[in-house]
Amino acid sequence: MKAIQITAPQQMAVVDVPMQQPKDDEVLLRLNYVGFCGSDLSTFSGKNPMVKMPVIPGHEVGAVIEAVGANVPDGLVPGMTVTVNPYTNCGKCASCRNGRVNACQHNETLGVQRNGAMREFISLPWEKVIPAGRLTPRTCALIEPMSVGFHAVSRAQVTDIDVVMVIGCGMVGMGAVVRSVQRGATVVAADIDDEKLELARQMGAGYTINTKKEDVHARLLQMTSGFGPDVVIEAVGSPATYQMAVDEVAFTGRVICIGYTKSEVSFETKYFVQKELDIRGSRNAQPSDFRAVIHYLERDTCPVDQLISRVVKPEDAPQAMQQWAEQPGKVFRILVDFTGK
């Protein structure tokens, strides 16, 4: 069967791999659409230390069940539209013991620590297959990245009295914007791209800041009566945005870190103490986050078409990835169409 493989930095090819058959506890999925995400871009660029090449990327899935193993529950049947929880959990580490399986110490994410979903078929444990209701497989490919943003909002314990600043309006950041709005918070979206900021407004952000053009500190003080935002969600992963989050959050505020920085970050640690900050990591997503995103997308209020920058055939994926690497700030999601239509 056809698959996309990153063979080395800056090298991607369409290859032929063996067809999988479902084991008794597995579901065979026919992939329809699979999204390229930031981790795939990092792998392609040679900047992802967790990846061993060659690797099949992809963990943002819109699929249809092709076949089921003998021990799969009756609720999963051929023809059903589904998405995938792409993380593993060992069941034995401290995270798993505490019920936070999304942060499993030994997690292996599809397309990162193990071969992913950029192929025509994949067989997975039935527990990782999530029914997607009436959503189309194309829309399903957006569920996982938005779930990561939803999870960050849960980590922040956002309420309707909070001002939430989301730094970075890619797909994960948009998820954080949506979930914060759903919880009744006042949302400030921050990015360097005006088109992304306009889309954040469409998705409910009350305020936007172009951090490249505007005085971020002055704007935030103006918006918050001098207090600063109660919550800052960092969804970029750069030293500058990490520092911005700590500098700009209100006293006794919460800073939620999603993005990985590729280099060390220097802080004035006095702010940690003087502000009595809660600084929390946010990793992956819980099953409840996936369900919440599906529920949101079923309302048909999300501008799905504007979140999909491009849909390409597998043969055109290498060129699309190269173009994304050259202009990373201009892409929400590139989907690879495996339907053959």
Side-chain angles (χ1 to χ4, degrees), residues 108-254:
E108 294 184 353
T109 298
L110 283 174
V112 185
Q113 294 93 344
R114 56 184 172 136
N115 280 324
M118 284 282 176
R119 53 179 118 177
E120 293 179 281
F121 295 90
I122 190 171
S123 191
L124 295 169
W126 69 264
E127 296 94 338
K128 299 299 180 181
V129 177
I130 303 172
R134 61 181 182 82
L135 298 181
T136 65
R138 180 172 174 268
T139 299
C140 285
L142 304 179
I143 293 171
E144 191 274 342
M146 293 195 77
S147 297
V148 175
F150 272 45
H151 182 66
V153 173
S154 295
R155 291 283 292 143
Q157 298 176 299
V158 170
T159 73
D160 58 354
I161 63 171
D162 287 323
V163 175
V164 179
M165 178 186 186
V166 178
I167 306 176
C169 294
M171 278 296 302
V172 171
M174 287 298 187
V177 168
V178 168
R179 194 57 163 166
S180 296
V181 170
Q182 288 183 332
R183 292 192 175 201
T186 299
V187 178
V188 182
D191 201 281
I192 61 173
D193 188 279
D194 287 330
E195 292 180 12
K196 290 183 177 180
L197 291 172
E198 176 55 34
L199 187 53
R201 277 191 177 274
Q202 292 181 40
M203 299 180 79
Y207 302 91
T208 59
I209 300 176
N210 186 313
T211 59
K212 198 172 184 178
K213 301 176 181 178
E214 301 178 70
D215 185 328
V216 176
H217 183 68
R219 285 290 313 281
L220 286 172
L221 291 181
Q222 179 186 30
M223 295 171 185
T224 62
S225 301
F227 292 108
D230 305 284
V231 174
V232 177
I233 297 175
E234 199 287 331
V236 176
S238 77
T241 51
Y242 262 72
Q243 290 170 338
M244 182 188 295
V246 172
D247 289 348
E248 301 300 342
V249 73
F251 274 64
T252 68
R254 288 99 73 197

